[in-house]
Amino acid sequence: MEPVPPPIPTLRVDKVKLYQGNRQQQSPFSKGKVFQGVITEKNNTQFILDVDGQQWIADSKAPLQVGQRLNLQVTGTKPQVTLQILTDPLTQKIGKSLHLLINEGRLLPGTLALAGRLPAKNLSSPAKDTLNFYSSTATSFTQTSPQAQTAGSHLAELLTNLIVSTRENNSGQENLPAVSSFLENLLQTLPEQDPARFQIQSSLSRLQSLAQNGSVRQILFDTNNPATKEQFQLLLQTIGEQQTGAGQALVETLVGFFSDNDASSPAPLLLNLLSLTAHLLESGDQARPKNADGPDLQQFIERLGTNFEHLLAAGKKEEAAKTLKSTLLEISHNLSENKPLQQQADQLTSTLELFQLLQIRLAGESVFVLPLPLPFLNQGFLLVEPDLHQNGQEQQGDRNEKKYSLHLQLEGLGNLRIELQQQKTGMRVRFFSQDTERTKFLADHRRELGQWLTAAPLESVQFLTGADEPIKELLSYMAAETTGVLDTSA
C-alpha cells in the first residue's frame, strides 16, 4: 500500500512571485505576519493564492483545493518568501496518530494477542467479560478454513504425544520439531486477519526461545502459577465439548497428568496452544460459530469505548467499565512494571483514542464517522452526513435525510466505497471499486445482494469505479473547503 500522508502535512509554500504582470507592487509579506489567503486556481503543484485582492503564484505539494481558505504565517522572506499553514491542536494530534489507521483491522487480533500474553493477574469482572466477548466475536466475524477441525485434531494429537512423552520420563525434545513444523505450516494457510495467527506466532516464538533452555516439562508446566487453573479448566471444557476423538484424548491426558502432579500448573505456552486447539476445533464445527448479525455488530461497536468519557460524565460507570478502552486502560495500569505489554496496551488504546478524535474533528463538518475495526477488513469506516442536492441545498420536506457511505479495504477486493440512500420505495445502492476488473466481479454477484439486503427492498444498484484508499477518502473530508486550518507539524 502507498504511504499515507498525514491529513495535513508539514507545509511550506516554496515560491511566491508577483502574478499581476510586470507591475511592481509592495509585498504584503513580512516575517512573522499572520494573514488569510484563498486558493483561486490550481495546476498540479502550482496554485494562485489571493491575498487581500493581490494574486500570487505559489508552489506546494499539499492537497489544497480551489476555494480553500488558509490561515498563513510568513516564516521567511529571503531568498524566497515561505508561508506556513497554521493549524488547530486537534487536527495536529490526529495527524501524528493517523498511521495507526493503516492497520485498523488488527485492533481485535492485537487485543486477543495481548490477552493471551497476560500474566496471572486479577482483572476486574467487567474486563474479563469484555475480553471474552471480543474473543467470541472474533470467531463469528472471521472466516476460517473448512479444514480447521482437522487441523485442530492434528494439533491435539501432537500435544497429547508431547505430554505423554514427559510422563514416561523422556525429555520430549524429539516431539518439539513436529509441533513447530505444524504451526509454521498452519501459519501459511490461515487468512491474514485470522486472530489465530497471533496465537501461532506467539507460540512459535515461545517454542524457539524456551526449547533451548529447558525440558518440555519445564516449557509446558509451571509450579508458580496456580491462578491459571481456572482458565485451564475452561479450555479443557471447550475442547471436550467438540466431541472429537483427538480432543477427548488430549483432555484425558491432561487431567491424568495434573492428577499426578498437584503442584503443577499450565504454563503460558501450554495455555496458548490449548486456546489455539479450541479455536480450530470450534471453527471446523459446522454448527459453530454462528454467523454474526446486526445486533452482534452493534454491540461490537458500542463496546469499543469511543464514548467512554461521555459514559463517565453521565454517571454510567458500569457501562463504561464494560468497554474495550476501559479494559485496555486497566491492563496498562496493572502492567506498569511490564513495559512491553504495557506499551502494547497503550498502542491499542491510542487507536481507540484516534477514533474519538476523528469523531470530534468531523463533527464540525456535520459528519459522523463510525470506525469498523473488524478483523476481516484492512481498513473500514462508515460516514453519515446530510443528504444534499448537487446545488448544496437540503432536500425539501426531508431536512433530516442522511447519506450513508461505507469506505472499506478488503483482501482481494481492495478498496471499496458503498453509498446507501434510503427511499420511500426502497434502497438505492452504489458500489465503487478501485478498477474495472473488480467492478465486473461485483456486478456478476448482483443477485446475491438482494438476498442479503433485508432491511428494505432493493430499488436500484449501480457498479462503478473510483474508490480510493479509505484513509485518503477520510482525509478529503478533513481538507475540505470548510476546513480553515491545516496541520503543519504532524
Side-chain angles (χ1 to χ4, degrees):
M1 186 182 71
E2 296 180 9
V4 177
I8 318 298
T10 300
L11 170 67
R12 291 198 312 171
V13 178
D14 296 326
K15 301 177 183 177
V16 178
K17 302 176 183 177
L18 191 60
Y19 181 62
Q20 296 178 345
N22 295 322
R23 181 168 53 89
Q24 296 296 321
Q25 298 185 32
Q26 183 177 0
S27 171
F29 307 118
S30 57
K31 191 170 183 179
K33 182 178 179 180
V34 177
F35 59 92
Q36 189 176 84
V38 181
I39 301 297
T40 59
E41 295 182 35
K42 175 181 178 180
N43 183 14
N44 294 325
T45 62
Q46 198 169 68
F47 304 87
I48 303 303
L49 179 68
D50 186 290
V51 180
D52 293 332
Q54 297 184 25
Q55 293 184 321
W56 307 80
I57 295 178
D59 292 333
S60 172
K61 295 182 180 180
L64 305 178
Q65 303 295 325
V66 173
Q68 188 171 351
R69 294 183 178 274
L70 304 175
N71 294 325
L72 304 166
Q73 182 175 27
V74 181
T75 57
T77 57
K78 296 182 179 180
Q80 294 172 326
V81 176
T82 56
L83 307 177
Q84 189 175 51
I85 297 178
L86 300 180
T87 181
D88 64 289
L90 177 59
T91 305
Q92 180 179 0
K93 191 170 184 178
I94 291 174
K96 292 180 179 179
S97 304
L98 193 71
H99 64 280
L100 296 173
L101 282 184
I102 296 177
N103 293 318
E104 179 190 12
R106 295 188 178 275
L107 175 67
L108 178 54
T111 298
L112 299 181
L114 174 64
R117 296 175 58 197
L118 293 179
K121 279 184 173 286
N122 291 326
L123 289 176
S124 65
S125 295
K128 291 179 181 178
D129 177 69
T130 299
L131 292 176
N132 288 334
F133 166 75
Y134 279 105
S135 178
S136 61
T137 302
T139 305
S140 299
F141 284 148
T142 306
Q143 293 183 355
T144 54
S145 168
Q147 289 80 31
Q149 192 170 57
T150 301
S153 295
H154 186 42
L155 179 56
E157 291 176 1
L158 292 174
L159 292 179
T160 299
N161 294 338
L162 194 61
I163 296 165
V164 169
S165 67
T166 66
R167 297 185 66 184
E168 296 174 349
N169 296 321
N170 295 323
S171 66
Q173 291 284 348
E174 67 277 7
N175 292 312
L176 284 178
V179 177
S180 297
S181 177
F182 169 80
L183 294 177
E184 290 171 354
N185 291 333
L186 184 61
L187 193 62
Q188 302 301 318
T189 63
L190 289 178
E192 181 67 25
Q193 298 300 329
D194 194 317
R197 292 178 62 89
F198 291 87
Q199 290 179 303
I200 297 171
Q201 291 168 340
S202 175
S203 297
L204 282 171
S205 177
R206 289 177 183 268
L207 278 172
Q208 292 168 359
S209 62
L210 296 175
Q212 301 175 357
N213 302 318
S215 66
V216 173
R217 183 182 288 261
Q218 292 173 319
I219 293 172
L220 298 181
F221 307 110
D222 189 351
T223 58
N224 301 313
N225 205 5
T228 60
K229 286 191 174 181
E230 180 180 354
Q231 181 183 359
F232 174 65
Q233 293 297 329
L234 289 175
L235 287 172
L236 290 186
Q237 181 180 349
T238 301
I239 294 173
E241 288 175 350
Q242 305 312 308
Q243 300 296 320
T244 63
Q248 295 287 347
L250 176 60
V251 170
E252 293 173 3
T253 300
L254 286 168
V255 170
F257 177 89
F258 284 106
S259 296
D260 298 336
N261 298 270
D262 292 336
S264 295
S265 298
L269 175 59
L270 179 57
L271 291 174
N272 214 20
L273 291 171
L274 292 177
S275 177
L276 176 60
T277 303
H279 170 75
L280 293 172
L281 290 174
E282 282 186 306
S283 300
D285 188 341
Q286 295 303 312
R288 301 172 67 179
K290 76 178 183 70
N291 291 328
D293 52 21
D296 291 328
L297 179 59
Q298 179 181 358
Q299 191 176 10
F300 176 93
I301 298 298
E302 290 178 347
R303 294 191 66 169
L304 287 175
T306 54
N307 61 340
F308 175 71
E309 288 78 7
H310 177 74
L311 290 173
L312 290 178
K316 300 178 179 180
K317 295 183 179 179
E318 292 185 2
E319 291 184 34
K322 294 179 180 179
T323 63
L324 181 58
K325 182 173 182 179
S326 175
T327 299
L328 292 172
L329 290 172
E330 181 178 333
I331 292 173
S332 178
H333 176 74
N334 289 349
L335 297 178
S336 57
E337 75 288 352
N338 190 327
K339 294 303 180 183
L341 293 184
Q342 185 188 46
Q343 290 174 0
Q344 187 176 354
D346 290 343
Q347 185 177 41
L348 294 168
T349 304
S350 297
T351 300
L352 291 174
E353 291 177 342
L354 175 58
F355 297 156
Q356 294 177 289
L357 292 174
L358 287 170
Q359 289 179 336
I360 296 172
R361 172 64 181 78
L362 290 177
E365 314 296 339
S366 299
V367 176
F368 174 70
V369 57
L370 182 69
L372 300 173
L374 302 169
F376 54 85
L377 294 176
N378 294 333
Q379 300 169 26
F381 59 88
L382 169 69
L383 285 183
V384 184
E385 54 189 314
D387 191 2
L388 306 177
H389 282 309
Q390 292 183 355
N391 61 6
Q393 299 299 318
E394 292 186 353
Q395 296 182 14
Q396 297 299 320
D398 283 317
R399 295 187 177 273
N400 293 324
E401 287 294 323
K402 301 295 183 182
K403 175 184 174 182
Y404 299 86
S405 57
L406 285 165
H407 302 258
L408 314 172
Q409 187 181 80
L410 302 90
E411 192 71 29
L413 280 179
N415 303 319
L416 189 65
R417 184 171 82 249
I418 307 173
E419 296 182 354
L420 307 170
Q421 189 177 43
Q422 179 77 52
Q423 301 291 318
K424 293 181 179 179
T425 54
M427 182 75 71
R428 294 178 182 176
V429 184
R430 295 202 299 173
F431 287 86
F432 294 83
S433 59
Q434 66 183 57
D435 55 43
T436 55
E437 182 180 358
R438 290 174 173 83
T439 299
K440 183 179 183 302
F441 174 82
L442 291 173
D444 290 342
H445 292 77
R446 183 190 187 285
R447 183 173 298 179
E448 297 178 25
L449 175 64
Q451 299 174 354
W452 285 99
L453 189 62
T454 58
L458 183 62
E459 179 184 282
S460 66
V461 59
Q462 292 178 287
F463 299 92
L464 309 165
T465 58
D468 206 340
E469 292 184 22
I471 292 181
K472 290 184 178 180
E473 297 206 3
L474 189 63
L475 300 189
S476 68
Y477 281 83
M478 298 184 62
E481 179 179 335
T482 53
T483 302
V485 290
L486 298 179
D487 186 1
T488 62
S489 58

